[in-house]
Amino acid sequence: MDNRFLELIELSIKAHWELPALTDHKERTFYYKDVASEIAKLHLLFERAGIRKGDKIALIGRNSSRWVINFFGILTYGAVAVPILHDFRPENVQHIVNHSEAKMLIAAGHSWENLDKEAMPDVKVFMSIEKASVLYGRIPDIAPAYEQINARFSACDSGLCTPENVRYHREEPEELAVLNYTSGTTGFSKGVMIPYRSLWSNTQYAADRLPFVHSGDNFVSMLPMAHMYGLAFEILNGINKGCHIHFLPRVPNPKSVIESLQQCRPTLIIAVPLIIEKIVRNNVFPILRKPIMRILYRLPIVRQIIRKKILGRLNTAFGSDFFEIVIGGAAINKEIETFLKAIRFHYTVGYGMTECGPLVAYEQWDTYKQGSVGRIVDRMEVKINSADPAKEAGEIIVRGMNNMLGYYKNPAATADIMTEDGWMRTGDLGTIDKDGFLFIRGRSKTMILSSNGQNIYPEEIESILNEHPYVSESLIVTRNEHLLALICPEWELAHKNNLSAEDLQAVMQEHLKHLNQRLPVYCKIVGVELRRENFEKTPKLSIKRYLYQQEK
């Protein structure tokens, strides 16, 4: 082995040839040998379409077996994968496709229906994820050519799909593998350039530090694979270990998630806080807050019995056989975490960012320290930019093999986050104790982490809000886990046009309605608050966001 990610994948497919790899909810199961065959078909299509090594191929759709097959097909060919969140608006998707210079777009039906192919003139081939067929091509006869490729592979005894024939692209450590966009909005999109060394380092860490995961174990994919968190530890880790990955129904809900977990009984669960918090708040806390339970809970012996029963119920809800649940993507509620620790629930909290592909810190559940986000992972270094890193919070700065190459076609943004000697500014504030546990103490960036782990960039939303003639300034803040727009109106203009405060509020509500139609679902603004005074500014005339984010 020479620290190659694609060699890990190649060896795993060969070693687990006859094992199940991917299953869509109540649909087909792809075995590892099927994955190899589908990848081989894609490689022939890419070659026929004139795709060269290093070309970009965009991929958009909900989590599915075919999504995974296409992703690995792109990388193992030597092209660059550009995963796009399926709930981005069509104009956002088209912007990313053009900005990334993608030569091919592989899209799910519900995404394809809303796209304008003429708005993406450089794309040679548009392909369907579900149907594994060509939707539209600017290359003559590309659709029938792929049909012929499929026909050649229709029988496994054709000799085209054997372990001996699995030979994948031989990558270099610094070679670009994935271009992951943190946003789709023009002017704000930053394509994070993830090299192969980062994919290898994250995947190898999971192989080394999650020894309880074995070939044949079940995984349930719950997080968006267009995000590095879900992609790295549900998919890359699962395929590397020879696991069987199950996908949720097309539009999952809490009931279907629980049913899938109980049916599949996964060994490892990757989750965001929202999943855990909803179950505890809706199913556990109401019981404990009943008057009789409050009294009984004060008795030490009875309290232990109650905790044991609750632990059993929670374990059953998550499938009973899991070794641990890794929570990441956003901060977990302190009350919930204290309760989970008290009942000895097998959870741990990790920390990362897209720019690290994504892992920075992790610790196994039984040695994890409450309130922390674990210890720094292998092949990474961390510094706290403060005089006393153990007591005084400072910006967390990281360096190591997981780090990105930079932002695609954006040297200014790259220079803002990367130092000349390889350190990367995370934008998070933290401390690190004598045992090496990292604690997040706040953010120095403006990015908002939603409760389900989505990255929200308030400047994007504010720039659209500020387009309205009656808006002087705006600020997006969180209130009770929802987004609220604080607006300083153009009061003089309103008075000139005989608009009262009530009239202006109605105008802003209508503006908000149109704004929400332009934003991803997870960026929805629930309300508007008009302000009489301007926002307080720094000497550089930037709004002091922290003053308003803390308002209740």
Side-chain angles (χ1 to χ4, degrees), residues 19-23 29-32 35 239 242-247:
L19 291 180
L22 309 165
T23 297
T29 291
F30 290 85
Y31 286 71
Y32 278 85
V35 173
I239 293 297
C243 296
H244 185 186
I245 304 169
H246 301 259
F247 297 95

Side-chain angles (χ1 to χ4, degrees), residues 153-196:
F153 279 82
S154 60
C156 280
D157 59 2
S158 63
L160 295 175
C161 51
T162 65
E164 294 73 24
N165 289 341
V166 175
R167 295 284 187 275
Y168 294 148
H169 171 63
R170 188 174 183 86
E171 79 276 17
E172 295 296 326
E174 297 299 313
E175 186 179 335
L176 179 60
V178 177
L179 189 53
N180 196 275
Y181 280 79
T182 59
S183 163
T185 308
T186 305
F188 292 92
S189 51
K190 290 191 289 189
V192 178
M193 296 189 288
I194 306 293
Y196 275 101

Side-chain angles (χ1 to χ4, degrees), residues 305-474:
I305 295 172
I306 293 172
R307 285 177 175 176
K308 189 174 181 179
K309 286 188 176 182
I310 290 173
L311 176 61
R313 288 185 180 182
L314 279 179
N315 287 341
T316 300
F318 287 99
S320 300
D321 288 350
F322 67 94
F323 179 84
E324 71 177 10
I325 296 178
V326 181
I327 301 170
I332 186 171
N333 177 272
K334 290 183 179 180
E335 182 186 18
I336 301 288
E337 181 172 16
T338 299
F339 175 76
L340 293 178
K341 197 73 173 177
I343 65 173
R344 288 191 60 77
F345 186 66
H346 290 202
Y347 84 98
T348 186
V349 178
Y351 167 67
M353 56 192 301
T354 301
E355 288 84 348
C356 290
L359 204 54
V360 173
Y362 161 85
E363 183 70 15
Q364 191 168 291
W365 80 272
D366 51 349
T367 49
Y368 162 76
K369 187 177 291 189
Q370 183 180 343
S372 78
V373 291
R375 291 186 172 103
I376 306 308
V377 300
D378 300 343
R379 296 172 291 278
M380 290 292 285
E381 302 174 76
V382 66
K383 289 195 301 187
I384 304 296
N385 190 15
S386 77
D388 187 353
K391 297 179 180 179
E392 181 184 335
E395 185 174 14
I396 301 167
I397 306 173
V398 297
R399 180 171 68 179
M401 196 170 283
N402 294 7
N403 279 14
M404 68 171 181
L405 297 170
Y407 294 116
Y408 188 59
K409 296 193 294 190
N410 199 335
T414 302
D416 284 343
I417 194 173
M418 302 288 292
T419 67
E420 292 183 0
D421 55 352
W423 289 93
M424 185 166 66
R425 305 179 181 94
T426 67
D428 291 317
L429 304 175
T431 58
I432 190 165
D433 69 13
K434 60 182 178 58
D435 298 317
F437 282 92
L438 182 64
F439 294 80
I440 306 300
R441 305 301 187 188
R443 296 195 60 78
S444 61
K445 283 184 181 178
T446 59
M447 184 187 80
I448 298 170
L449 275 171
S450 70
S451 59
N452 65 354
Q454 298 280 20
N455 295 344
I456 299 171
Y457 296 86
E459 296 96 337
E460 296 180 30
I461 305 171
E462 292 156 7
S463 69
I464 302 173
L465 273 173
N466 296 346
E467 292 173 1
H468 197 283
Y470 285 112
V471 177
S472 173
E473 294 180 305
S474 64

Side-chain angles (χ1 to χ4, degrees), residues 43-62:
H43 288 183
L44 291 174
L45 173 66
F46 297 160
E47 186 177 344
R48 177 67 179 79
I51 302 295
R52 298 173 297 177
K53 293 182 185 297
D55 281 349
K56 318 296 190 311
I57 299 178
L59 178 61
I60 180 170
R62 291 185 174 90

